[in-house]
Amino acid sequence: MKPKQIKIQDVTLRDGNQALRKPWTLEEKIEVFDLLVALNVDGIEVGFPSSNETEFEASKTLAKRAPAGMPIAGLSRANETEISKTWEAIQFANRPRMHIVFPVSDFSIRHVLKISEQEVIRKIHNSVSFARSIVGPDVEIQFSGEHFGDAIENFAFTKEAFLAAIQAGANIINLPNTVERYRPMVFVNMVKEMKDFIGERAKVSVHTHNDLGMATATSVECVYVGAEQIEVALNGLGERAGNTNLYETVIALHQNGETLGINFDRIYPTAKRIAEMTGIPIGEKTPIIGEDIFSHRSGIHQDGVAKTIKQTKGAYRTFSPEFVGRNDSETISFTNQSGHRAIQFLLEKRGIKVPAEEIHRLFEIAKTISSKENNREITEAELVDLASNLTVSL
């Protein structure tokens, strides 16, 4: 069921940018675009060209800047005027992609659109047909059924809606979890059923949001039921709790044996730069890019780390820091949760070897100091001093 190729389509410049407190300037968008090109993502959505003149000019500029062969998408609602404006901007790309979105869930149809299901089908068919008429036969058209993840009640209708898009000329069907409401496998099973229905008539893509913190897991699992494209964002940027995180997604797929074209060593510097540009800090425990993810303080963990620190696979490490472009390394530090091995490891780093009984005495001294001083960390330098004083006293 898994596709032969998995495409990583980035939406940072559209979905990520629209959620920022201060959306990026053209110069900043160019920088982000270049970072994405350096990462070697498979495609980039550059913006929402019809929303305002700034977005239009940025989308046009980035389309002209795009490398040959890279899909460059622009988002449009199912409106002929907007579709025309979008095409006017993205047509300059070597491989432009028209992306049209329209709601398909029962809730949205009844409470937001307030139109009939037949009218939804008509709008989807007419908008995609119009897009095909102006972009020609060779340009990709992606249709997104907004709120697909919320379409459990009218799932049979969504099949009709997507079939209408395909018959009108869409060759990519994007299935968004626009608001994450349910556990991952509910959405994954919906994607599987839709993939089985669509078959080879169009490629299937997923676009998940992170309202419950499960967007990346949901997207990754969708690959294994046939999704051929995953839409992601740098640093997990996007509306509310954000979109599927690019870094976590590609590392998860890589760890499961999937071949991707991503330049993994560009991940960490890219993440740091995006954090600077948005003013949104990276949490120290954030997977892949957090400052603390290679730190070990538990005694049991430290023993395993010390024994495997030079191996490709670490006892408590998924990947090496340098794989994602980090210049740090696994660290062991001493707190009152640490064990004897931490002291031995830290002293040997400094070229200091001490007998086992001295390690035990140092452990007791260091643990007492830590506990008495509000459980603080004992630094490597302090341990060296303690070892030196202990040797002198002996």
Side-chain angles (χ1 to χ4, degrees):
M1 194 65 180
K2 186 190 70 174
K4 292 179 181 178
Q5 283 189 313
I6 303 163
K7 299 296 184 182
I8 303 298
Q9 176 82 0
D10 187 88
V11 298
T12 308
L13 285 162
R14 197 274 300 169
D15 211 339
N17 180 67
Q18 73 185 32
L20 296 177
R21 294 178 187 275
K22 182 181 177 296
W24 287 315
T25 64
L26 174 59
E27 291 72 23
E28 289 170 326
K29 276 201 162 192
I30 289 171
E31 182 176 354
V32 174
F33 183 85
D34 289 347
L35 288 170
L36 289 165
V37 171
L39 271 170
N40 201 36
V41 297
D42 295 299
I44 301 172
E45 186 160 273
V46 292
F48 189 175
S50 64
S51 61
N52 58 64
E53 197 58 31
T54 300
E55 274 288 285
F56 176 83
E57 289 300 329
S59 298
K60 182 177 177 180
T61 299
L62 296 176
K64 290 180 177 180
R65 193 179 184 86
M70 176 178 280
I72 299 298
L75 182 73
S76 174
R77 291 177 292 190
N79 173 294
E80 290 188 7
T81 301
E82 291 189 9
I83 290 169
S84 296
K85 192 73 172 177
T86 299
W87 178 240
E88 190 181 340
I90 66 168
Q91 65 179 309
F92 296 98
N94 173 261
R95 189 179 170 187
R97 176 185 290 175
M98 177 66 69
H99 184 187
I100 299 169
V101 60
F102 199 74
V104 296
S105 75
D106 179 67
F107 184 89
S108 293
I109 293 169
R110 288 192 295 114
H111 297 287
V112 180
L113 298 177
K114 298 183 179 180
I115 59 177
S116 68
E117 288 184 340
Q118 292 69 33
E119 181 67 5
V120 171
I121 295 289
R122 189 185 71 80
K123 284 183 176 292
I124 291 172
H125 184 273
N126 288 352
S127 61
V128 176
S129 294
F130 176 74
R132 178 57 71 200
S133 73
I134 65 171
V135 305
D138 300 323
V139 170
E140 290 177 319
I141 297 177
Q142 174 171 311
F143 174 75
S144 288
E146 188 184 13
H147 290 291
F148 169 77
D150 201 27
I152 296 173
E153 296 90 347
N154 64 330
F155 196 76
F157 167 76
T158 66
K159 291 180 180 179
E160 293 182 43
F162 289 123
L163 183 58
I166 293 168
Q167 291 173 341
N171 35 31
I172 300 171
I173 293 298
N174 190 40
L175 307 176
N177 208 8
T178 309
V179 177
E180 188 174 49
R181 302 185 194 275
Y182 310 110
R183 62 189 178 89
M185 289 311 296
V186 170
F187 184 80
V188 172
N189 288 334
M190 291 172 71
V191 172
K192 181 181 186 304
E193 186 172 343
M194 189 59 68
K195 173 62 180 176
D196 291 343
F197 171 73
I198 291 171
E200 300 302 315
R201 289 180 286 195
K203 293 179 181 177
V204 169
S205 169
V206 293
H207 174 110
T208 68
H209 280 264
N210 203 37
D211 299 270
L212 300 178
M214 301 184 291
T216 296
T218 302
S219 290
V220 169
E221 286 306 309
C222 284
V223 166
Y224 296 93
V225 296
E228 296 152 278
Q229 175 178 281
I230 301 179
E231 297 200 340
V232 299
L234 298 173
N235 293 39
L237 296 175
E239 296 283 5
R240 305 178 311 282
N243 286 282
T244 302
N245 186 296
L246 182 150
Y247 320 124
E248 295 168 18
T249 301
V250 298
I251 292 291
L253 290 169
H254 172 80
Q255 286 297 127
N256 283 278
E258 308 305 339
T259 300
L260 303 174
I262 296 294
N263 291 326
F264 292 95
D265 61 350
R266 294 295 309 157
I267 284 177
Y268 187 65
T270 299
K272 295 287 283 185
R273 181 58 187 143
I274 293 298
E276 292 170 359
M277 294 178 71
T278 60
I280 301 172
I282 297 170
E284 65 176 28
K285 296 293 185 182
T286 300
I288 317 299
I289 57 176
E291 292 303 310
D292 210 39
I293 67 166
F294 292 110
S295 300
H296 309 280
R297 299 183 182 91
S298 158
I300 294 173
H301 287 207
Q302 290 170 335
D303 181 63
V305 170
K307 291 173 178 174
T308 61
I309 198 163
K310 293 183 179 179
Q311 294 178 201
T312 302
K313 180 177 180 178
Y316 295 96
R317 168 175 45 78
T318 302
F319 56 90
S320 64
E322 58 270 18
F323 181 68
V324 294
R326 299 177 66 135
N327 57 14
D328 52 354
S329 59
E330 285 190 281
T331 61
I332 288 176
S333 54
F334 189 90
T335 70
N336 69 355
Q337 303 298 304
S338 302
H340 295 68
R341 189 56 183 252
I343 292 177
Q344 181 184 6
F345 178 85
L346 291 169
L347 291 178
E348 287 181 354
K349 264 181 66 182
R350 296 287 194 101
I352 302 170
K353 291 191 176 183
V354 296
E357 61 220 35
E358 287 189 34
I359 292 290
H360 180 71
R361 290 184 64 190
L362 282 169
F363 171 78
E364 295 298 333
I365 294 168
K367 203 138 192 173
T368 298
I369 294 171
S370 175
S371 296
K372 284 183 176 179
E373 298 182 13
N374 203 28
N375 296 337
R376 73 173 178 86
E377 180 179 315
I378 304 299
T379 67
E380 187 176 310
E382 286 179 289
L383 289 172
V384 171
D385 287 340
L386 288 172
S388 176
N389 291 337
L390 185 61
T391 303
V392 170
S393 68
L394 291 173

